[in-house]
Amino acid sequence: DVKVTQSSRYLVKRTGEKVFLECVQDMDHENMFWYRQDPGLGLRLIYFSYDVKMKEKGDIPEGYSVSREKKERFSLILESASTNQTSMYLCASSLSGTGGASSYNEQFFGPGTRLTVL
Amino acid sequence: AQSVSQHNHHVILSEAASLELGCNYSYGGTVNLFWYVQYPGQHLQLLLKYFSGDPLVKGIKGFEAEFIKSKFSFNLRKPSVQWSDTAEYFCAVKTGGGNKLTFGTGTQLKVEL
């Protein structure tokens, strides 16, 4: 069974603090993703990584950075937390697809971290 | 950029009623389509997916979805819902050879006894 774990289920931080959200997967997946989930907006991709030390911006990268030093771990960093970053953060991982558009590997999600920035 | 629309934001049904949740995407090329479900307090999990071939795909728990290319749609259906189907449902699309998914805004389904 694929397991994606996130370091905290609930986190409360103050405006201006540096925040680290950690994600670990145990299935040797190449791809890892960070999303935020907000009511009425669905899931929006912040950053993703397709290999160690590789990263690409998603749809809403502003205010965030990421780090992937080891294959199993993908960290999301809020350099200076702001109240508009209060959200549910979801991490996901998947194997790399091969063979073009017809191939895909399911994304497996972690339980999420509900971050509140005061 | 591709986008995914889910027009039903909140749906309330009685048990045994039939369900259809709409999903439309905007992309003219080859797509892979997915429905994910998030039960209260649980992880997001895959319900079903379409890659190619038969446009009617069956997923877990009696759900199915039909890909209609001409309508850019991938609607989710279930003939008879149960109280345990109460959850949030997300449609997602993958385009090209990458691994990114674009998600819709989700539909909250509440099934009443």
Side-chain angles (χ1 to χ4, degrees):
Chain A
D1 243 10
V2 175
K3 197 168 182 183
V4 180
T5 56
Q6 296 183 229
S7 50
S8 306
R9 289 302 301 271
Y10 300 93
L11 208 53
V12 179
K13 295 292 182 181
R14 297 212 174 269
T15 302
E17 279 193 78
K18 190 169 185 176
V19 182
F20 292 87
L21 302 182
E22 305 285 341
C23 175
V24 177
Q25 50 93 5
D26 66 358
M27 284 301 291
D28 204 34
H29 285 174
E30 292 85 5
N31 304 314
M32 296 187 76
F33 308 84
W34 275 107
Y35 297 89
R36 62 177 284 176
Q37 182 181 8
D38 299 289
L41 297 177
L43 275 73
R44 293 178 292 167
L45 182 65
I46 304 171
Y47 266 97
F48 67 101
S49 168
Y50 52 88
D51 203 351
V52 175
K53 297 192 186 293
M54 306 300 287
K55 61 186 180 185
E56 284 197 28
K57 292 180 180 179
D59 301 317
I60 52 164
E62 296 78 18
Y64 303 94
S65 62
V66 289
S67 172
R68 192 158 180 211
E69 296 296 317
K70 293 184 178 182
K71 191 174 185 180
E72 67 272 17
R73 188 180 296 270
F74 192 36
S75 303
L76 180 69
I77 304 155
L78 288 67
E79 293 289 341
S80 178
S82 63
T83 54
N84 63 13
Q85 292 178 308
T86 291
S87 186
M88 172 69 87
Y89 289 87
L90 298 180
C91 177
S93 71
S94 72
L95 287 167
S96 278
T98 57
S102 63
S103 67
Y104 171 77
N105 288 288
E106 176 184 347
Q107 287 189 21
F108 293 86
F109 284 83
T113 296
R114 187 166 292 282
L115 173 66
T116 302
V117 183
L118 302 174
Chain B
Q2 64 270 22
S3 65
V4 180
S5 299
Q6 292 182 245
H7 305 295
N8 314 106
H9 299 296
H10 291 90
V11 174
I12 301 174
L13 294 173
S14 298
E15 267 205 329
S18 64
L19 170 72
E20 182 160 2
L21 300 183
C23 173
N24 289 90
Y25 63 92
S26 63
Y27 184 75
T30 302
V31 293
N32 300 136
L33 296 155
F34 310 86
W35 277 97
Y36 278 82
V37 61
Q38 189 173 34
Y39 298 103
Q42 295 189 26
H43 301 196
L44 207 65
Q45 58 184 287
L46 185 67
L47 200 53
L48 49 77
K49 60 191 176 190
Y50 170 78
F51 279 13
S52 62
D54 188 346
L56 184 64
V57 292
K58 296 193 184 296
I60 60 171
K61 304 187 180 185
F63 286 90
E64 64 179 32
E66 185 174 12
F67 170 50
I68 303 180
K69 191 174 181 180
S70 60
K71 295 185 177 180
F72 298 89
S73 71
F74 190 55
N75 292 354
L76 182 70
R77 300 194 294 244
K78 187 171 184 179
S80 176
V81 294
Q82 299 173 301
W83 178 81
S84 58
D85 293 324
T86 294
E88 189 161 18
Y89 293 81
F90 294 93
C91 183
V93 62
K94 184 180 91 80
T95 59
N99 290 285
K100 286 172 54 178
L101 294 181
T102 299
F103 283 84
T105 54
T107 298
Q108 286 274 7
L109 171 66
K110 183 178 179 182
V111 180
E112 296 179 330
L113 296 170

mmCIF file of all heavy atoms in Angstrom, chain B residues 37-60:
data_model
loop_
_atom_site.group_PDB
_atom_site.id
_atom_site.type_symbol
_atom_site.label_atom_id
_atom_site.label_comp_id
_atom_site.label_asym_id
_atom_site.label_seq_id
_atom_site.Cartn_x
_atom_site.Cartn_y
_atom_site.Cartn_z
ATOM 1 N N VAL B 37 -12.422 11.238 -5.102
ATOM 2 C CA VAL B 37 -13.418 11.437 -4.061
ATOM 3 C C VAL B 37 -12.709 11.658 -2.725
ATOM 4 O O VAL B 37 -11.655 11.077 -2.465
ATOM 5 C CB VAL B 37 -14.388 10.232 -3.973
ATOM 6 C CG1 VAL B 37 -13.643 8.949 -3.640
ATOM 7 C CG2 VAL B 37 -15.481 10.482 -2.945
ATOM 8 N N GLN B 38 -13.292 12.532 -1.924
ATOM 9 C CA GLN B 38 -12.761 12.788 -0.585
ATOM 10 C C GLN B 38 -13.893 12.619 0.416
ATOM 11 O O GLN B 38 -14.773 13.490 0.536
ATOM 12 C CB GLN B 38 -12.162 14.191 -0.498
ATOM 13 C CG GLN B 38 -11.396 14.460 0.778
ATOM 14 C CD GLN B 38 -10.683 15.805 0.735
ATOM 15 O OE1 GLN B 38 -11.173 16.759 0.149
ATOM 16 N NE2 GLN B 38 -9.507 15.879 1.350
ATOM 17 N N TYR B 39 -13.904 11.473 1.107
ATOM 18 C CA TYR B 39 -14.894 11.241 2.158
ATOM 19 C C TYR B 39 -14.527 12.077 3.381
ATOM 20 O O TYR B 39 -13.350 12.393 3.580
ATOM 21 C CB TYR B 39 -14.964 9.758 2.503
ATOM 22 C CG TYR B 39 -15.407 8.905 1.337
ATOM 23 C CD1 TYR B 39 -14.500 8.146 0.614
ATOM 24 C CD2 TYR B 39 -16.748 8.887 0.940
ATOM 25 C CE1 TYR B 39 -14.899 7.395 -0.474
ATOM 26 C CE2 TYR B 39 -17.154 8.133 -0.147
ATOM 27 C CZ TYR B 39 -16.223 7.395 -0.854
ATOM 28 O OH TYR B 39 -16.624 6.661 -1.935
ATOM 29 N N PRO B 40 -15.492 12.433 4.187
ATOM 30 C CA PRO B 40 -15.214 13.290 5.350
ATOM 31 C C PRO B 40 -14.070 12.752 6.194
ATOM 32 O O PRO B 40 -14.090 11.597 6.619
ATOM 33 C CB PRO B 40 -16.545 13.274 6.112
ATOM 34 C CG PRO B 40 -17.569 13.018 5.060
ATOM 35 C CD PRO B 40 -16.926 12.104 4.072
ATOM 36 N N GLY B 41 -13.054 13.576 6.388
ATOM 37 C CA GLY B 41 -11.935 13.207 7.236
ATOM 38 C C GLY B 41 -10.944 12.237 6.622
ATOM 39 O O GLY B 41 -10.035 11.762 7.304
ATOM 40 N N GLN B 42 -11.123 11.945 5.338
ATOM 41 C CA GLN B 42 -10.233 10.962 4.704
ATOM 42 C C GLN B 42 -9.404 11.588 3.593
ATOM 43 O O GLN B 42 -9.632 12.702 3.163
ATOM 44 C CB GLN B 42 -11.045 9.794 4.156
ATOM 45 C CG GLN B 42 -11.732 8.980 5.229
ATOM 46 C CD GLN B 42 -12.332 7.708 4.665
ATOM 47 O OE1 GLN B 42 -11.874 7.172 3.644
ATOM 48 N NE2 GLN B 42 -13.368 7.214 5.322
ATOM 49 N N HIS B 43 -8.423 10.778 3.114
ATOM 50 C CA HIS B 43 -7.569 11.204 2.008
ATOM 51 C C HIS B 43 -8.379 11.290 0.719
ATOM 52 O O HIS B 43 -9.370 10.585 0.531
ATOM 53 C CB HIS B 43 -6.464 10.184 1.752
ATOM 54 C CG HIS B 43 -5.567 9.927 2.888
ATOM 55 N ND1 HIS B 43 -4.357 9.295 2.760
ATOM 56 C CD2 HIS B 43 -5.696 10.182 4.203
ATOM 57 C CE1 HIS B 43 -3.777 9.203 3.939
ATOM 58 N NE2 HIS B 43 -4.564 9.716 4.831
ATOM 59 N N LEU B 44 -7.895 12.101 -0.174
ATOM 60 C CA LEU B 44 -8.404 12.106 -1.537
ATOM 61 C C LEU B 44 -8.010 10.774 -2.181
ATOM 62 O O LEU B 44 -6.864 10.332 -2.065
ATOM 63 C CB LEU B 44 -7.758 13.255 -2.298
ATOM 64 C CG LEU B 44 -8.490 13.874 -3.466
ATOM 65 C CD1 LEU B 44 -9.762 14.553 -3.008
ATOM 66 C CD2 LEU B 44 -7.595 14.885 -4.155
ATOM 67 N N GLN B 45 -8.971 10.133 -2.849
ATOM 68 C CA GLN B 45 -8.643 8.848 -3.471
ATOM 69 C C GLN B 45 -9.276 8.764 -4.853
ATOM 70 O O GLN B 45 -10.314 9.370 -5.118
ATOM 71 C CB GLN B 45 -9.100 7.681 -2.594
ATOM 72 C CG GLN B 45 -10.580 7.662 -2.281
ATOM 73 C CD GLN B 45 -10.930 6.538 -1.324
ATOM 74 O OE1 GLN B 45 -10.935 5.370 -1.695
ATOM 75 N NE2 GLN B 45 -11.219 6.893 -0.085
ATOM 76 N N LEU B 46 -8.656 7.941 -5.706
ATOM 77 C CA LEU B 46 -9.119 7.810 -7.075
ATOM 78 C C LEU B 46 -10.398 6.989 -7.140
ATOM 79 O O LEU B 46 -10.485 5.905 -6.556
ATOM 80 C CB LEU B 46 -8.031 7.146 -7.914
ATOM 81 C CG LEU B 46 -8.305 7.025 -9.414
ATOM 82 C CD1 LEU B 46 -8.334 8.398 -10.066
ATOM 83 C CD2 LEU B 46 -7.250 6.156 -10.084
ATOM 84 N N LEU B 47 -11.378 7.490 -7.859
ATOM 85 C CA LEU B 47 -12.665 6.797 -8.028
ATOM 86 C C LEU B 47 -12.667 6.029 -9.351
ATOM 87 O O LEU B 47 -13.051 4.879 -9.421
ATOM 88 C CB LEU B 47 -13.775 7.837 -8.023
ATOM 89 C CG LEU B 47 -15.197 7.450 -7.728
ATOM 90 C CD1 LEU B 47 -15.327 6.682 -6.432
ATOM 91 C CD2 LEU B 47 -16.072 8.695 -7.697
ATOM 92 N N LEU B 48 -12.243 6.701 -10.418
ATOM 93 C CA LEU B 48 -12.127 6.068 -11.730
ATOM 94 C C LEU B 48 -11.322 6.951 -12.660
ATOM 95 O O LEU B 48 -11.090 8.110 -12.348
ATOM 96 C CB LEU B 48 -13.502 5.756 -12.335
ATOM 97 C CG LEU B 48 -14.555 6.864 -12.355
ATOM 98 C CD1 LEU B 48 -14.297 7.872 -13.436
ATOM 99 C CD2 LEU B 48 -15.954 6.262 -12.525
ATOM 100 N N LYS B 49 -10.917 6.359 -13.796
ATOM 101 C CA LYS B 49 -10.091 7.102 -14.739
ATOM 102 C C LYS B 49 -10.369 6.634 -16.171
ATOM 103 O O LYS B 49 -10.761 5.491 -16.395
ATOM 104 C CB LYS B 49 -8.606 6.924 -14.425
ATOM 105 C CG LYS B 49 -8.133 5.482 -14.478
ATOM 106 C CD LYS B 49 -6.729 5.340 -13.903
ATOM 107 C CE LYS B 49 -6.313 3.878 -13.877
ATOM 108 N NZ LYS B 49 -5.059 3.666 -13.126
ATOM 109 N N TYR B 50 -10.180 7.549 -17.108
ATOM 110 C CA TYR B 50 -10.301 7.239 -18.521
ATOM 111 C C TYR B 50 -8.971 7.545 -19.205
ATOM 112 O O TYR B 50 -8.447 8.660 -19.094
ATOM 113 C CB TYR B 50 -11.411 8.059 -19.186
ATOM 114 C CG TYR B 50 -11.389 7.917 -20.687
ATOM 115 C CD1 TYR B 50 -11.904 6.782 -21.303
ATOM 116 C CD2 TYR B 50 -10.799 8.900 -21.491
ATOM 117 C CE1 TYR B 50 -11.845 6.633 -22.680
ATOM 118 C CE2 TYR B 50 -10.736 8.748 -22.858
ATOM 119 C CZ TYR B 50 -11.255 7.617 -23.443
ATOM 120 O OH TYR B 50 -11.185 7.467 -24.802
ATOM 121 N N PHE B 51 -8.459 6.528 -19.943
ATOM 122 C CA PHE B 51 -7.254 6.734 -20.739
ATOM 123 C C PHE B 51 -7.596 6.714 -22.226
ATOM 124 O O PHE B 51 -7.264 7.614 -22.967
ATOM 125 C CB PHE B 51 -6.234 5.618 -20.484
ATOM 126 C CG PHE B 51 -5.427 5.800 -19.244
ATOM 127 C CD1 PHE B 51 -5.785 6.742 -18.292
ATOM 128 C CD2 PHE B 51 -4.302 5.034 -19.017
ATOM 129 C CE1 PHE B 51 -5.040 6.909 -17.148
ATOM 130 C CE2 PHE B 51 -3.547 5.203 -17.864
ATOM 131 C CZ PHE B 51 -3.921 6.138 -16.941
ATOM 132 N N SER B 52 -8.212 5.625 -22.646
ATOM 133 C CA SER B 52 -8.542 5.438 -24.060
ATOM 134 C C SER B 52 -9.508 4.263 -24.152
ATOM 135 O O SER B 52 -9.807 3.615 -23.151
ATOM 136 C CB SER B 52 -7.285 5.151 -24.883
ATOM 137 O OG SER B 52 -6.679 3.954 -24.451
ATOM 138 N N GLY B 53 -10.020 4.021 -25.355
ATOM 139 C CA GLY B 53 -10.884 2.865 -25.561
ATOM 140 C C GLY B 53 -12.327 3.168 -25.194
ATOM 141 O O GLY B 53 -12.843 4.250 -25.483
ATOM 142 N N ASP B 54 -12.977 2.213 -24.554
ATOM 143 C CA ASP B 54 -14.387 2.341 -24.211
ATOM 144 C C ASP B 54 -14.619 3.630 -23.427
ATOM 145 O O ASP B 54 -14.033 3.824 -22.357
ATOM 146 C CB ASP B 54 -14.811 1.131 -23.373
ATOM 147 C CG ASP B 54 -16.316 1.070 -23.130
ATOM 148 O OD1 ASP B 54 -17.017 2.081 -23.375
ATOM 149 O OD2 ASP B 54 -16.783 0.001 -22.689
ATOM 150 N N PRO B 55 -15.478 4.520 -23.941
ATOM 151 C CA PRO B 55 -15.690 5.799 -23.251
ATOM 152 C C PRO B 55 -16.494 5.670 -21.952
ATOM 153 O O PRO B 55 -16.573 6.640 -21.197
ATOM 154 C CB PRO B 55 -16.459 6.629 -24.283
ATOM 155 C CG PRO B 55 -17.136 5.624 -25.141
ATOM 156 C CD PRO B 55 -16.220 4.440 -25.199
ATOM 157 N N LEU B 56 -17.076 4.523 -21.711
ATOM 158 C CA LEU B 56 -17.802 4.308 -20.466
ATOM 159 C C LEU B 56 -16.892 3.529 -19.518
ATOM 160 O O LEU B 56 -16.540 2.386 -19.785
ATOM 161 C CB LEU B 56 -19.100 3.536 -20.730
ATOM 162 C CG LEU B 56 -20.008 3.324 -19.513
ATOM 163 C CD1 LEU B 56 -20.516 4.668 -18.984
ATOM 164 C CD2 LEU B 56 -21.176 2.419 -19.875
ATOM 165 N N VAL B 57 -16.491 4.200 -18.451
ATOM 166 C CA VAL B 57 -15.572 3.554 -17.518
ATOM 167 C C VAL B 57 -16.258 3.319 -16.190
ATOM 168 O O VAL B 57 -17.069 4.125 -15.740
ATOM 169 C CB VAL B 57 -14.289 4.399 -17.310
ATOM 170 C CG1 VAL B 57 -13.479 4.432 -18.567
ATOM 171 C CG2 VAL B 57 -14.613 5.797 -16.842
ATOM 172 N N LYS B 58 -15.908 2.207 -15.587
ATOM 173 C CA LYS B 58 -16.501 1.856 -14.298
ATOM 174 C C LYS B 58 -15.446 1.979 -13.213
ATOM 175 O O LYS B 58 -14.275 1.637 -13.417
ATOM 176 C CB LYS B 58 -17.070 0.444 -14.359
ATOM 177 C CG LYS B 58 -18.228 0.326 -15.353
ATOM 178 C CD LYS B 58 -18.995 -0.955 -15.212
ATOM 179 C CE LYS B 58 -20.074 -1.070 -16.272
ATOM 180 N NZ LYS B 58 -21.103 -0.016 -16.133
ATOM 181 N N GLY B 59 -15.887 2.485 -12.071
ATOM 182 C CA GLY B 59 -14.967 2.652 -10.970
ATOM 183 C C GLY B 59 -15.411 1.870 -9.757
ATOM 184 O O GLY B 59 -16.224 0.942 -9.843
ATOM 185 N N ILE B 60 -14.883 2.287 -8.615
ATOM 186 C CA ILE B 60 -15.226 1.605 -7.374
ATOM 187 C C ILE B 60 -16.605 2.033 -6.894
ATOM 188 O O ILE B 60 -17.120 3.079 -7.299
ATOM 189 C CB ILE B 60 -14.166 1.886 -6.284
ATOM 190 C CG1 ILE B 60 -14.065 3.391 -6.001
ATOM 191 C CG2 ILE B 60 -12.809 1.341 -6.710
ATOM 192 C CD1 ILE B 60 -13.195 3.729 -4.799
#
